[in-house]
Amino acid sequence: MTNVIMIIQILSFFFIFQSISRYPFTVKESSAWLAVFVIIGFVSTQFIGVWGAITLFFCFVVISYFKNQRTFTALGVFYGAYALVVNSFIGYLAADPITGLVGFIFKQSSANIEYLPYLFTAMAPPIINEIALRLVRHYVPQLNKEILQASSTIILLPVILLLVIILLSVYPILTIGNETGAFSSFHRTLLIGMWLLFVVALLYMQFQYNHIQKREVEKSRNERLVQLKDYADQLEKIYDEFRGFRHDYANILLTLEEGIYLEDWEQVKQVYDQTVKPTGLLMRKNEYSLLKLRNMHVSEVKSILAAKMIMAQQMKIDVALEMEEPIHLIQMELISFTRILSILLDNAIEAAAQTDEAKMWIVLLEDTAVQRIKIMNNSAEKVNIRHLGERGYSTKGKGRGLGLYNVQQMIKEMKFASLETEAQPRMFSQTLILRKAGEQNEHLHTRG
Amino acid sequence: MNIYILEDNLIQQQRLERIIKTLALKHRITYRSLFSTAKPDHLLEKIADAADHQLYFLDLEIKHEEQKGLAIAKEIRSRDAYGTIVFVTTHSELAPVTFEYRVAALDFIEKELQEADFVRKVEECLLIANSRRTIPVSSDTFSFENKYTSFQIPFSDILFFETMEIAHKIRLVTKTKVLDFYAELNEIADQDKRLFRCHRAFVVNLANIRSVDKKNKWIWFDHNESCLVSRRLLKETLEKMEAIRQS
């Protein structure tokens, strides 16, 4: 019987780990890992008793390592520690009520029910954890995976440290408890203290997260302000140019008129060549594509587009913007969208800057079913698009491919976003296709 | 071939007509009619009864009505799916990618160009339109639409579709592009009989297979791309491929 309970406990660890980390597991993967767990669990318990659970912790860290594209992250360690602590925490809390309940229900039964409390206690943690997590995710949606992903190592490290301390102090007590069959009141106090510490750790994380987020919002607001100011400056510059032109225009007309009445064709020709003709060139400058930003009515996106376009122009890149229809809404959560847009624009600017005739295009298209954002640049070499987006792959050299990797990581979770990447011999483009949600989707869905 | 010019500036209109006539003579391009107008409605009336390949030179800015050009181009496109549309316009109106998407416009010719460059651009367009007269433009596009995405791609560009590490995320690999989107592989295989699910993780375009490595169970395409074929479906893949080739 103890074996069955132990297997259930090992399964509990795994399920808790899975529900907190939300790593996707195929059936095959799950069964393979479970088999590994059970074996490791049994073998280690044989030698080190309750401490066997600690070996599972390392297993979780290893899983996280693989699930995170072979990198160790603080988050991975946190998931492992969380699974272990929560399992014993809930198990500890649930043990007494369950024992009482079982005793009460089976009061009349004469069957051997001694193992039942253990069985239920072993099964309780994953179930309670799942329910609690679901409730939290449902009622506090901002406490989603993003909270953990966004929390930097700085927040996670103290939490992990705390969890490890809890683990290290709880397991010896449990071991003693198991051996003697009873906990002394001192140990009980210590255990409760540890669990309180655990709750404090989670609260601390939440607090830190809020703090960091507030700071981020503040920072991006300031950034946007600066960007919009640059944009306004640039518009003023363009306006000045036009004003100058308007001023000249009157003079040009006067001189031409004079030449025409005097039939001095030499003068007319000279004025035309020297003053009228160059204005055509003025009109051809793509600097004015900045004016097309008036069609963008989402100020966050407008400020980023303006900032990046100005930056590109300062780097002597010819930037063309196509936005023929007004855009009032972006079909994606704005924070993610602006991050993705910035990365795509930065990549395009960097790649274009390395070419002789640096040029880039930014195109926003509003269709009935989709919104298309295309960033195109000329590139010095043909990019291998099949490897693009892999962690660390970059045409810019080793260890610099994180931008596109991040884009793909973000898009991964978004069902309504598709990413198209195109490479021609001297041209590279990325198109974000955002499906519009709404009634027409329902209609189309019945078709598909 | 019929050639249409929509331009409200008479001087520009005559200039373009003159250039086209000279170039047609030079390249021995015969056209049935060369029709110039300043009125969009006249142009739209004309194309209603046309069966030939048509070449349109459109000014985007008609009587200072912004966006009018795009509306006219869309109207033309709805009546004539295969005609060649070229915009002759000022630089500030330029939006090549947008117009390519919207009406499959062939090119933009800037009015401000130097005479020699201007003539060269018109010449290019004329030659392309003339070649399209004999070879019909392929309308064989793969249009995919589900709840999560919507896109079109020339069928002949498609190599294969593959599953990605994320559930339900599919990657389409074409000759020059990759496109990641949300869908089911079966959903895709059902779209066209040339698409076949030859492996748990792959749907291939049978029409674009270059060779099949039967021993190692690999399917090879041009551009050095390859995917797997399952042992169980190898025979069926080869049969279907053969059937597609013969049809």
Side-chain angles (χ1 to χ4, degrees):
Chain A
M1 205 56 228
T2 42
N3 284 347
V4 175
I5 289 170
M6 201 165 116
I7 288 174
I8 290 173
Q9 248 180 348
I10 291 170
L11 292 181
S12 301
F13 281 131
F14 184 73
F15 287 130
I16 292 175
F17 176 72
Q18 199 182 3
S19 79
I20 181 75
S21 69
R22 290 205 268 180
Y23 289 136
F25 286 99
T26 62
V27 180
K28 225 191 215 167
E29 273 180 308
S30 303
S31 13
W33 276 114
L34 282 175
V36 171
F37 274 29
V38 171
I39 293 166
I40 291 179
F42 268 96
V43 171
S44 55
T45 314
Q46 213 69 50
F47 291 106
I48 45 178
V50 182
W51 290 95
I54 301 288
T55 54
L56 293 182
F57 170 69
F58 292 108
C59 287
F60 290 134
V61 176
V62 171
I63 295 182
S64 299
Y65 171 75
F66 283 113
K67 287 286 172 191
N68 281 323
Q69 278 81 24
R70 290 169 190 271
T71 34
F72 283 111
T73 56
L75 200 53
V77 181
F78 168 75
Y79 288 151
Y82 176 90
L84 252 61
V85 173
V86 163
N87 193 30
S88 18
F89 182 32
I90 299 179
Y92 175 76
L93 285 183
D96 283 344
I98 285 178
T99 315
L101 203 67
V102 169
F104 177 74
I105 293 171
F106 295 94
K107 212 159 37 181
Q108 313 300 329
S109 169
S110 57
N112 180 13
I113 55 153
E114 216 167 281
Y115 63 89
L116 269 182
Y118 293 110
L119 197 62
F120 288 138
T121 311
M123 280 176 0
I127 298 167
I128 293 173
N129 173 62
E130 182 68 34
I131 293 170
L133 278 182
R134 267 170 201 250
L135 284 178
V136 166
R137 278 169 186 156
H138 186 256
Y139 289 105
V140 200
Q142 69 269 29
L143 233 151
N144 238 312
K145 199 170 181 176
E146 291 88 56
I147 178 179
L148 294 170
Q149 241 149 26
S151 25
S152 54
T153 320
I154 306 162
I155 312 182
L156 280 174
L157 272 183
V159 175
I160 292 168
L161 202 68
L162 267 177
L163 291 183
V164 170
I165 293 171
I166 293 169
L167 278 179
L168 291 179
S169 50
V170 164
Y171 277 97
I173 299 170
L174 289 181
T175 320
I176 298 162
N178 272 3
E179 274 162 11
T180 58
F183 298 106
S184 74
S185 68
F186 169 68
H187 284 150
R188 259 177 209 284
T189 327
L190 202 62
L191 275 177
I192 290 166
M194 285 301 152
W195 299 136
L196 282 177
L197 210 58
F198 168 66
V199 173
V200 167
L202 291 185
L203 286 177
Y204 161 80
M205 209 164 74
Q206 162 71 3
F207 173 76
Q208 279 292 337
Y209 172 72
N210 278 343
H211 181 71
I212 285 183
Q213 209 181 31
K214 224 181 259 169
R215 225 171 41 197
E216 290 276 304
V217 168
E218 189 70 21
K219 210 176 105 194
S220 72
R221 191 179 295 146
N222 287 339
E223 255 168 34
R224 220 167 73 212
L225 223 61
V226 173
Q227 286 168 348
L228 284 175
K229 202 183 150 290
D230 284 351
Y231 174 54
D233 287 351
Q234 210 69 15
L235 286 185
E236 264 168 31
K237 226 175 85 189
I238 292 172
Y239 175 71
D240 279 347
E241 246 171 82
F242 269 116
R243 213 177 44 178
F245 172 67
R246 205 178 56 179
H247 174 80
D248 290 348
Y249 188 65
N251 287 335
I252 291 169
L253 282 185
L254 276 176
T255 338
L256 277 179
E257 197 177 70
E258 196 187 83
I260 288 166
Y261 282 131
L262 293 175
E263 295 190 22
D264 181 355
W265 301 123
E266 266 316 302
Q267 189 191 347
V268 172
K269 217 173 148 235
Q270 196 191 350
V271 172
Y272 178 79
D273 280 340
Q274 282 178 0
T275 40
V276 182
K277 220 172 179 186
T279 56
L281 222 65
L282 181 81
M283 298 306 209
R284 290 198 59 203
K285 278 201 289 186
N286 266 333
E287 256 173 56
Y288 300 131
S289 60
L290 210 57
L291 293 174
K292 283 194 178 170
L293 276 178
R294 69 171 182 273
N295 273 338
M296 173 52 73
H297 296 276
V298 184
S299 67
E300 286 90 340
V301 180
K302 191 189 200 121
S303 64
I304 285 192
L305 282 173
K308 300 290 179 191
M309 282 173 74
I310 292 167
M311 184 172 120
Q313 283 170 352
Q314 280 163 356
M315 289 169 78
K316 302 275 174 280
I317 298 169
D318 185 22
V319 191
L321 174 71
E322 289 182 32
M323 190 170 6
E324 302 305 304
E325 299 105 332
I327 292 176
H328 295 277
L329 186 75
I330 295 291
Q331 303 287 336
M332 188 194 267
E333 187 261 319
L334 260 186
I335 294 176
S336 309
F337 179 78
T338 47
R339 272 179 75 194
I340 292 172
L341 186 67
S342 305
I343 294 173
L344 294 181
L345 288 169
D346 282 341
N347 286 349
I349 289 170
E350 208 168 319
Q354 287 166 7
T355 59
D356 299 331
E357 220 176 293
K359 188 157 171 53
M360 65 184 273
W361 294 258
I362 304 167
V363 183
L364 287 94
L365 280 167
E366 186 89 47
D367 273 347
T368 39
V370 290
Q371 207 161 43
R372 242 177 260 271
I373 296 95
K374 184 171 190 162
I375 317 279
M376 195 159 51
N377 60 272
N378 52 3
S379 62
E381 61 202 282
K382 189 173 172 174
V383 182
N384 185 341
I385 45 178
R386 295 276 274 146
H387 290 293
L388 214 65
E390 278 171 21
R391 195 185 173 88
Y393 177 89
S394 168
T395 51
K396 302 171 228 159
K398 216 174 170 225
R400 295 184 61 193
L402 283 178
L404 220 50
Y405 170 81
N406 286 340
V407 169
Q408 299 216 329
Q409 290 298 308
M410 270 187 273
I411 288 180
K412 237 186 200 180
E413 319 253 317
M414 299 171 188
K415 289 187 172 170
F416 294 93
S418 313
L419 183 68
E420 184 186 272
T421 312
E422 178 168 16
Q424 305 274 6
R426 310 202 65 91
M427 195 76 81
F428 179 76
S429 86
Q430 295 223 283
T431 312
L432 201 57
I433 304 171
L434 307 178
R435 186 77 161 100
K436 291 183 183 171
E439 287 163 28
Q440 123 207 63
N441 265 340
E442 297 297 321
H443 162 71
L444 288 165
H445 192 50
T446 50
R447 239 190 66 195
Chain B
M1 179 163 64
N2 295 314
I3 301 171
Y4 299 97
I5 297 170
L6 176 65
E7 168 68 74
D8 57 354
N9 181 322
L10 206 66
I11 295 168
Q12 288 289 335
Q13 205 185 74
Q14 283 169 352
R15 174 189 180 210
L16 196 54
E17 257 185 49
R18 198 185 61 235
I19 291 172
I20 290 170
K21 281 179 182 159
T22 318
L23 287 171
L25 215 63
K26 181 181 163 196
H27 292 283
R28 294 170 193 281
I29 294 169
T30 50
Y31 52 88
R32 255 213 321 221
S33 69
L34 174 59
F35 176 76
S36 302
T37 179
K39 295 203 172 65
D41 295 340
H42 283 189
L43 178 68
L44 292 172
E45 270 167 39
K46 269 276 175 186
I47 57 167
D49 54 295
D52 246 344
H53 186 79
Q54 330 260 8
L55 171 60
Y56 306 88
F57 288 98
L58 308 177
D59 183 6
L60 266 177
E61 220 176 343
I62 296 294
K63 288 189 201 100
H64 309 290
E65 284 181 79
E66 231 183 292
Q67 288 296 312
K68 184 77 179 171
L70 182 57
I72 295 161
K74 274 184 177 167
E75 187 58 39
I76 291 173
R77 187 48 89 215
S78 72
R79 295 181 192 201
D80 176 7
Y82 305 116
T84 303
I85 297 177
V86 177
F87 290 101
V88 184
T89 187
T90 51
H91 184 81
S92 59
E93 297 294 312
L94 217 62
V97 184
T98 307
F99 283 78
E100 154 92 61
Y101 264 109
R102 292 279 193 270
V103 293
L106 173 68
D107 209 346
F108 267 83
I109 303 176
E110 289 172 47
K111 286 182 180 171
E112 299 98 329
L113 284 178
Q114 299 283 321
E115 184 72 10
D117 291 330
F118 188 86
V119 172
R120 194 176 42 76
K121 288 280 261 186
V122 175
E123 188 173 17
E124 278 171 16
C125 295
L126 212 55
L127 288 172
I128 289 173
N130 191 48
S131 69
R132 284 184 182 174
R133 198 168 50 110
T134 42
I135 311 155
V137 188
S138 168
S139 61
D140 191 10
T141 47
F142 174 78
S143 302
F144 186 78
E145 193 147 16
N146 68 7
K147 206 173 148 194
Y148 307 117
T149 191
S150 163
F151 62 86
Q152 293 188 333
I153 219 145
F155 205 95
S156 57
D157 280 357
I158 296 175
L159 301 180
F160 59 88
F161 297 84
E162 64 183 348
T163 54
M164 295 176 76
E165 63 212 284
I166 316 119
H168 312 298
K169 197 110 200 194
I170 305 288
R171 169 169 281 188
L172 161 62
V173 180
T174 80
K175 288 174 180 169
T176 57
K177 298 178 183 176
V178 296
L179 174 57
D180 302 344
F181 60 99
Y182 243 77
E184 303 284 340
L185 265 191
N186 278 335
E187 216 181 321
I188 289 154
D190 292 344
Q191 297 264 320
D192 195 291
K193 69 173 181 11
R194 283 166 291 178
L195 297 175
F196 180 63
R197 185 162 187 176
C198 64
H199 186 272
R200 196 162 42 87
F202 296 101
V203 166
V204 288
N205 179 2
L206 294 165
N208 265 347
I209 295 178
R210 200 186 62 203
S211 66
V212 179
D213 179 350
K214 292 180 210 169
K215 198 168 132 244
N216 299 314
K217 312 280 180 295
W218 281 100
I219 292 179
W220 286 91
F221 304 86
D222 285 339
H223 306 276
N224 237 354
E225 291 288 355
S226 62
C227 76
L228 289 168
V229 55
S230 81
R231 183 196 306 277
R232 190 168 54 82
L233 294 166
L234 180 63
K235 208 173 137 233
E236 203 182 336
T237 308
L238 289 166
E239 281 168 10
K240 292 212 165 181
M241 206 175 102
E242 215 36 56
I244 296 282
R245 292 235 165 123
Q246 261 147 34
S247 64

